[in-house]
Amino acid sequence: MRFRLLYPGFKTKAVTFSYDDGIIEDKTTTEILNRYGLKGTFNLNSGKSGESKFRENKLGKQIDCSYLVLKDDKAVYSGHEIATHTHTHPHMEGLSEQRQQEEYLTDIKELSTIFGQPIRGSAYPYGTYDSNTIEALKASGIKYSRTTRSTYRFDVPVYWLLWHPTIHHRDPLLWETLSRFYKSKKELALFSLWGHSYEFALDDNFSLLEDFCKSIKSRKDVYNGTNIEIYDYTHAATMLYYRDGHFVNPSNQTVYFSACGKEYSIPAGEKLEVADEQ
């Protein structure tokens, strides 16, 4: 039987956010996401906690882009996913596999202690990596790792340890790409947005994020999940199968789909009888 996988709530599309480094501008980013009832993933460097850093904007003004003191500011990320961005944010390529694994394991341990949640995702510092990085991620129990290479596409990742996002928020093609996304008929269409919160401060345009969130919330067909929620749900959904008049969900969470012109959901580990229309 032919069927179409859907996101939770019978949504046909999903949007997910990924922001790096854990700097003070994350306070504004999370405030905006929270205002619209949206969730994001924040990739943090525990070894940078509290470090002072300033960046110069286009007008030559110094903008405070210091790192948050994570143990004191953990409430900033309440309701959002925390992922590893390595302990000290080095260029990973060229480092030994042991050194790379230490970067991940140290960060995972400290972040999980501070935030009280499992750390299962990652984003590559500077967007660079080598074969040792992949092995270090696997050894550290990481399920996905986001790169910095924009695809301008709406595919669910094939290889999750090289999750190429849709687009960076600074990209001039952002709104054109979002418009194409809304029109997409792709099954489990996914829009993955990434960036750094300090970029909004440097460009004086947190309004861009506000407008993006407002647009997403205006759509009844778009689901929002953190990176790990997208990972978990798409893995569960793609396990769904049909046999002998029944849809079977062998996964550990409810799966949503449509078949024969109707929408269905099947709880974890259960099956549902659906007659095949001839």
Side-chain angles (χ1 to χ4, degrees), residues 60-244:
K61 181 180 179 181
Q62 292 293 313
I63 304 296
D64 187 357
C65 303
S66 298
Y67 291 83
L68 290 169
V69 179
L70 296 180
K71 64 182 180 61
D72 295 336
D73 294 307
K74 63 181 180 180
V76 169
Y77 300 105
S78 179
H80 302 278
E81 179 195 1
I82 301 301
T84 177
H85 200 37
T86 71
H87 185 57
T88 63
H89 204 288
H91 286 278
M92 298 294 277
E93 71 279 12
L95 298 180
S96 68
E97 183 178 338
Q98 180 179 353
R99 170 68 195 287
Q100 294 195 39
Q101 190 171 333
E102 288 172 354
E103 280 285 339
Y104 285 119
L105 290 176
T106 301
D107 200 43
I108 290 168
K109 181 179 179 180
E110 293 190 12
L111 292 178
S112 60
T113 298
I114 293 170
F115 293 98
Q117 62 175 264
I119 309 301
R120 302 171 59 211
S122 172
Y124 293 101
Y126 307 106
T128 60
Y129 45 85
D130 59 18
S131 59
N132 282 333
T133 319
I134 304 298
E135 295 306 314
L137 286 165
K138 291 177 181 177
S140 302
I142 294 301
K143 301 302 181 183
Y144 73 80
S145 191
R146 197 217 75 230
T147 73
T148 60
R149 195 188 88 188
S150 296
T151 65
Y152 306 98
R153 295 172 60 88
F154 316 120
D155 305 304
V156 169
V158 175
Y159 185 57
W160 289 84
L161 290 179
L162 290 175
W163 180 348
H164 304 306
T166 303
I167 198 168
H168 187 286
H169 74 248
R170 267 181 163 173
D171 196 304
L173 295 177
L174 175 63
W175 298 109
E176 176 187 322
T177 304
L178 184 62
S179 178
R180 286 196 298 107
F181 172 67
Y182 287 155
K183 297 173 184 176
S184 175
K185 303 298 182 183
K186 180 183 290 291
E187 183 181 51
L188 295 179
L190 175 63
F191 191 109
S192 173
L193 184 72
W194 80 280
H196 306 84
S197 295
Y198 66 75
E199 291 158 343
F200 294 119
L202 293 178
D203 298 339
D204 192 23
N205 70 343
F206 269 106
S207 59
L208 183 149
L209 179 61
E210 184 109 25
D211 290 343
F212 187 90
C213 292
K214 188 181 299 183
S215 179
I216 294 301
K217 288 301 290 185
S218 72
R219 303 283 304 198
K220 295 183 179 180
D221 58 344
V222 176
Y223 166 77
N224 163 243
T226 63
N227 287 186
I228 196 62
E229 287 174 336
I230 296 296
Y231 171 89
D232 285 338
Y233 181 76
T234 55
H235 274 75
T238 53
M239 292 176 69
L240 184 71
Y241 66 89
Y242 182 80
R243 181 179 181 183
D244 298 332

